[in-house]
Structure formats: structure tokens, C-alpha cells
Amino acid sequence: MGFADLLEQVGSTGRFQVVHTLLLCLPVLMMASHNLLQNFVAGVPPHFCSAHTNFSASTRMSAAEKLHITVPIDANGSPEKCRRYESPQWHLLANNGSTDPEVWEDPEQAALRGCDDGWTYDERERSSSIISEWHLVCSLRPLKSMGQTVYMGGVLVGAGVFGALADRFGRRVLLTMSYLLMAVSGTCAAFSPSFSLFCLFRFMCGMALSGVVLNSFSLIVEWIPTRVRTVIGTGTGYCYTMGQLILALVAYFIRDWRWLTFAVSLPFYVAFLYSWWLLESSRWLVLKNKPEQAVENLRLVARYNGRQADGEKIDVEMVKSSMKKEMSGCKSSYTTLDLFRTPTMRKMTVCLCAVWFSTSFAYYGLSMDLQKFGVDIYLIQVIFGAADIPAKVIINITMSYCGRRLSQCGGLVLAGITILSNLLVPYDKQMLRTCLAVLGKGCLAASFNCCYLYSGELYPTILRQSGLGWVSMMARLGAMVAPLVLLLGEYVTWLPGLIYGLVPVLSGVAAFLLPETLNIPLPDTIQDVEDRGTGRISKTEKKEAIFLQDNADNLLKQTS
């Protein structure tokens, strides 16, 4: 008898699992709002240098006329963004464009200077942004990318910190702390008086997001049976997809960046309040020598699922005997180094690092610069979000029938090919370029969906949070680097696309080296992982795998 049998005894797919999973998935709806918030709070509005401070033009002069005589025109026929005339060019107001040459200078030779008196912004699209608030344009333009890099740096640090702490102190406690940290940090970021403080609180939001992602997924997967992991994992991914659509809707109606940031942080206060109801993973409690609390949680689950009589039959001795092998193979504590000590764990971790890094790197490279597509920013956000829906349906089918390894490999390689194909499309064919980008982004979203489920199935219970935390750190490293690679486009326009396309293709090879986990029970110890790596599977695992395969075959016959 193993933990899976105990879970079946108290109800593995009952009312508790439904409510528990829904409560954990609700905050995931708002995760996309924080990840992609930069597209709306840091959108660069049309701007040009403000007129001279002592400008004494006639009050009857229109704004267009003032602009005409104070700001030169660039090669595209638009007002220059970072320079203005040193003195007003009054002659440009003349109907024939000429006057006494002693009074004015040739505009092509007129003295120019920087925007010493600030900038004027066209705020018809959004009433405010951090760009117009702190003038992050011209020489300060790189600070826009730095803001997103700092946020992703927080996600990276949070992945390492919360991943290790959760394996030591439990999933639920860290999840509750993450909800509170996200709510408070998001509120502080919304009302930050300076850009430096805004970045600090966004860094803390990033840390909290890692805590929410890692602990939510582990609590979900450790309370459900093997046979529904694929469906539940995909459903959790759809919550993130719906979150992208919610962000577009909320941003459309809330055009001020401060109130938008505050609005997407409010739901985490609610999540913090109800998170006290959530149960700690009994599987983790047993492995941490807390069998009494594990029994109590299992009996609560039995009561919620209407199996109180079956739950009362479970006692400490039954739990200990059912997981005797797992408990005997556990040390008192584990560290990140244990991810690399043994051959199979080391190979698995290195390959997963490549997969997570490339998926996040290319995903945020495409998703964080929506203005470049020349389409309404709200529309392109909806299109990008909606593209995830069919992508995740397809990846769900392939993971169930072709396996996790081929699905992960195929998603990455196809994403890289579509991104590279975009380099061959002329810039003026915006529709075709956008379609290829949407296809590539959909493949990367499917790859992300597979990443979480696949990694959770590969790592053992005693190191699941540490493992997920480590590979998530690699993903955040990729997300940090992605906006910086965009800056290379100012020197070589095609270079960012080439990098974004090659990296997923190369990591697809690494994904192919991972072991398959389709219809395989979750490993609990490092020894379980090593046994699988050498082809040795316990009798219990063989029995459960055969049972799951028989069920799948019967279901396929009934539907055909």
C-alpha cells in the first residue's frame, strides 16, 4: 500500500479536490496581470520636446503651429523625440515657407539641442504611464527594460528562496506568505513616488509570484491522483491564459498606470484570507516525520468527500507502513546540491534548466514588446492570450497520447522555427509577421504548460519544491535577459529574432534527453528517480502503471 492507495481511500477526485484546486487556481488568473503589466504601465506614448520655457508665441497660435516651429521633423515625417530647435523657427509659419534670410536660419542647418525643458506626451491612448511619469525616454529609455528585468530578477530570487523554504517549512505556509507579499508589494508599487521605489516593490512582487506559482502547483499535484494530473495541469495553464484576457480588459477600462497596478494586486488580499483554509500536503508531512498531522489532514479530506468512515480507518501506523520505503530513504534535510549529486538527477536538472530558460526567454521576448507589431495594444494582447487556448488543447492531447518528452521537444522546436521564419518576412507585411509571432507564442505557451507538469512529475516529493524552484530560477534568468536582447535591435535589427529563434531549437534537443513520465506514479525519493534512470521500477509502480494504462485503453475503446 502506497500514498496513492491512501488517497484513493479518502477520495482522490472528490469534492475536496475540486474546491481545493479551484481556490488555488483563482490567484493564477491574476499572475499574467503582473507578468505582462509592463506592456500597459510602461507603454511609450508619442512624445516630443516641450517648447522653450520663455516661449512667448501668440495665444492664438495652435499647438500644431507651436510644434512646427520648435521641433524638427525626422526622416519619417514625424516630430523628433529627443531634440528641438535652439530658437523658434518663425519663418516656417509663412505660407510660402520663406522670408528674409537675415531673420531666420535654414531649418536643416539650424542649431539643435536636447529637451532641456522636458517633454510633451500624447496621452490620448493612456492617461499616464511610468514613462511619462518619470520621463523614461531618450537617454533614459533603457530604464524601461531595466524595470522589467528587475521584476524578473525578483521572480528569480523568489524561485530559489521560496522553493527551498517550502521543502523545509511546508507549502501552505509559504503560499500564504506569498499572497500577502504580492498584495502589499503591488499596492506599494502602485503609489511609489519614484522610479527606484517602484522597481524595489516590483522586485518584491516578482519574489511573491514565484512563491505563488511553485507552492500552488505542488499543492495541486500532491493532492490528486496520477490519472488526472495531465487534465488538471492543463486546466491550471488555462487560468494563466484567461488572465491575459482579463489583463487586456482591465487595462482597457483603467488607463491610469497607478490604479491599474493597484487593481491587479487587490485580489491577492482575498487569496490571503482564504488561504488559511487550505490543507498542507499529507505526502510532504509524512516525509517530514509528521505522520499525526498527515493523518488528521487525510481524515479531513475523507470528511469533505463523504468518506468519513473510510477516513477513520487511517491511523499513524498505517501511514508509516504505507510509506516505509520513502521515509527510510529520506535524510533529515536536503539542499539544492542534492539536485546534482546523483547521475540521473544531475542529467535531469541540467536538461530541465535548458528547457525552462529557453521557453521563458523566447516567450517574454515576444510578449513584452507588443507595440512593435503596429496593432492596437489591447487587441494584440487579446490575440496573444487567445492563441494559448488551442495551443494548450493540442499540448494536452499530445501529452496524453504521445508523452511528455515528445510534446516538450516538439513545442520548443516548432516555436523556434516560426520565430526564425519571421526574419524572412518583409517588415511591411505586418499581418503575416503578426500571425507567425502568434503561432510561435502559442507554441511557447504550450511548452510552458508542459514544463510545469513534466518537471513536477520528474522531481521526487522530498525535492520537488527545490527542483521546481531551481528550474524556475533558470526561467526567470531567461525572462531577465529577454528585454535586454531587444536593445540589440537598435544596432542590428534582425539579431534579437535570430537569438529568440535559435535558443528554443537547441533546448528542444535537451528536452529529448529527459525520461518519459506518462502514466508513471510520482517519485518520492532520490532513489526512486535513480531506479527509473537505470530502468528499475518497483512492483508498486509497475502495478499502478499497468492499471493506468488499462484504464486508458478501456476509455479509448469506449469512445471509438
Side-chain angles (χ1 to χ4, degrees):
M1 190 177 189
F3 184 82
D5 299 302
L6 292 176
L7 194 58
E8 291 295 337
Q9 185 172 334
V10 299
S12 60
T13 54
R15 182 171 54 189
F16 167 80
Q17 278 78 13
V18 173
V19 176
H20 180 78
T21 302
L22 284 176
L23 290 179
L24 288 170
C25 285
L26 285 176
V28 178
L29 289 170
M30 302 309 298
M31 278 169 38
S33 297
H34 276 276
N35 273 346
L36 304 176
L37 187 64
Q38 186 91 347
N39 281 328
F40 299 97
V41 303
V44 182
H47 57 278
F48 50 85
C49 294
S50 297
H52 312 70
T53 304
N54 58 352
F55 188 65
S56 57
S58 170
T59 55
R60 291 178 296 177
M61 185 179 293
S62 67
E65 291 174 326
K66 291 180 182 180
L67 175 64
H68 189 46
I69 66 174
T70 57
V71 178
I73 302 300
D74 62 19
N76 297 321
S78 302
E80 286 204 18
K81 298 177 179 180
C82 301
R83 296 190 301 173
R84 65 170 171 81
Y85 293 121
E86 192 170 85
S87 59
Q89 302 296 296
W90 297 101
H91 68 281
L92 297 177
L93 294 178
N95 291 333
N96 58 6
S98 63
T99 186
D100 188 350
E102 296 182 358
V103 180
W104 59 277
E105 301 177 81
D106 183 347
E108 294 185 0
Q109 300 178 359
L112 300 175
R113 63 188 305 166
C115 301
D116 299 335
D117 299 304
W119 289 264
T120 299
Y121 299 91
D122 182 352
E123 296 182 332
R124 289 175 294 180
E125 182 68 27
R126 298 197 64 80
S127 61
S128 70
S129 68
I130 64 171
I131 304 299
S132 59
E133 180 93 10
W134 293 304
H135 303 302
L136 306 182
V137 294
C138 298
S139 62
L140 297 181
R141 184 179 176 185
L143 291 182
K144 173 192 173 182
S145 296
M146 192 191 79
Q148 182 67 11
T149 298
V150 167
Y151 169 75
M152 287 301 175
V155 181
L156 184 150
V157 173
V161 172
F162 285 110
L165 290 178
D167 275 332
R168 178 169 297 185
F169 299 107
R171 285 76 158 117
R172 191 190 67 82
V173 174
L174 270 296
L175 181 62
T176 299
M177 290 175 55
S178 299
Y179 285 150
L180 181 61
L181 181 61
M182 177 67 85
V184 174
S185 300
T187 302
C188 292
F191 300 104
S192 298
S194 66
F195 179 67
S196 57
L197 279 178
F198 172 79
C199 287
L200 173 63
F201 290 121
R202 285 288 287 163
F203 180 87
M204 295 171 67
C205 284
M207 288 186 64
L209 182 125
S210 279
V212 172
V213 172
L214 296 175
N215 291 292
S216 295
F217 186 79
S218 286
L219 277 177
I220 289 174
V221 85
E222 291 177 7
W223 274 116
I224 59 175
T226 305
R227 63 180 179 275
V228 298
R229 282 205 309 254
T230 303
V231 175
I232 297 299
T234 304
T236 305
Y238 275 123
C239 291
Y240 186 86
T241 299
M242 293 304 298
Q244 296 180 60
L245 304 180
I246 292 173
L247 173 62
L249 181 66
V250 174
Y252 182 81
F253 288 103
I254 303 178
R255 300 298 178 104
D256 182 89
W257 78 267
R258 292 187 182 274
W259 289 111
L260 175 60
T261 304
F262 182 60
V264 298
S265 301
L266 272 179
F268 289 95
Y269 285 107
V270 179
F272 167 74
L273 293 176
Y274 72 63
S275 65
W276 297 95
W277 176 88
L278 300 172
L279 291 182
E280 182 57 86
S281 166
S282 284
R283 188 191 294 263
W284 176 84
L285 288 169
V286 173
L287 295 175
K288 285 297 178 179
N289 291 318
K290 298 180 180 179
E292 294 83 5
Q293 191 175 343
V295 170
E296 182 181 343
N297 285 0
L298 285 168
R299 288 176 177 176
L300 282 173
V301 172
R303 192 181 310 158
Y304 288 135
N305 289 338
R307 294 189 176 187
Q308 186 170 356
D310 293 327
E312 293 299 327
K313 297 177 183 178
I314 297 177
D315 54 25
V316 173
E317 291 304 319
M318 181 184 293
V319 169
K320 285 183 176 180
S321 63
S322 67
M323 298 190 70
K324 185 176 181 180
K325 175 190 171 185
E326 290 81 356
M327 293 176 68
S328 64
C330 290
K331 298 188 299 184
S332 58
S333 63
Y334 290 86
T335 66
T336 303
L337 292 177
D338 289 299
L339 298 173
F340 300 92
R341 290 189 195 279
T342 56
T344 304
M345 287 287 292
R346 181 166 53 249
K347 174 185 174 183
M348 195 170 70
T349 300
V350 171
C351 290
L352 284 175
C353 284
V355 168
W356 280 73
F357 177 90
S358 62
T359 301
S360 182
F361 173 74
Y363 183 92
Y364 287 104
L366 287 177
S367 302
M368 292 310 305
D369 192 20
L370 299 184
Q371 287 182 312
K372 69 182 178 184
F373 293 105
V375 182
D376 180 78
I377 190 171
Y378 305 100
L379 177 61
I380 194 66
Q381 179 64 61
V382 171
I383 293 173
F384 264 35
D388 291 6
I389 297 176
K392 289 177 179 178
V393 169
I394 294 172
I395 202 70
N396 185 26
I397 296 172
T398 59
M399 281 194 298
S400 298
Y401 292 98
C402 301
R404 278 61 158 150
R405 180 173 57 183
L406 285 177
S407 300
Q408 187 75 77
C409 178
L412 285 169
V413 172
L414 184 58
I417 291 174
T418 55
I419 295 172
L420 292 173
S421 299
N422 228 342
L423 296 175
L424 305 176
V425 180
Y427 188 79
D428 57 346
K429 296 186 180 298
Q430 290 293 335
M431 182 62 69
L432 180 56
R433 291 175 59 84
T434 301
C435 289
L436 285 173
V438 169
L439 177 60
K441 196 263 186 181
C443 292
L444 291 168
S447 177
F448 249 136
N449 211 59
C450 190
C451 275
Y452 280 102
L453 180 63
Y454 199 10
S455 301
E457 292 177 338
L458 285 169
Y459 281 119
T461 302
I462 53 173
L463 278 171
R464 185 164 294 120
Q465 286 301 87
S466 296
L468 285 172
W470 179 261
V471 295
S472 183
M473 284 177 61
M474 296 301 104
R476 305 320 155 193
L477 183 62
M480 287 176 63
V481 175
L484 301 180
V485 171
L486 285 174
L487 297 177
L488 298 176
E490 297 183 7
Y491 306 99
V492 183
T493 56
W494 50 265
L495 188 56
L498 179 65
I499 298 173
Y500 289 140
L502 283 178
V503 172
V505 172
L506 294 175
S507 66
V509 178
F512 195 74
L513 300 177
L514 292 167
E516 183 55 69
T517 60
L518 178 63
N519 291 330
I520 301 296
L522 289 177
D524 287 313
T525 66
I526 293 177
Q527 190 58 49
D528 290 341
V529 175
E530 293 302 316
D531 287 344
R532 291 181 184 178
T534 56
R536 296 192 303 269
I537 301 178
S538 67
K539 293 181 179 179
T540 303
E541 290 181 335
K542 284 183 179 179
K543 181 180 177 182
E544 185 172 347
I546 292 171
F547 171 74
L548 291 169
Q549 189 61 51
D550 289 343
N551 280 351
D553 292 341
N554 291 334
L555 182 61
L556 187 62
K557 290 177 182 178
Q558 292 174 6
T559 55
S560 60

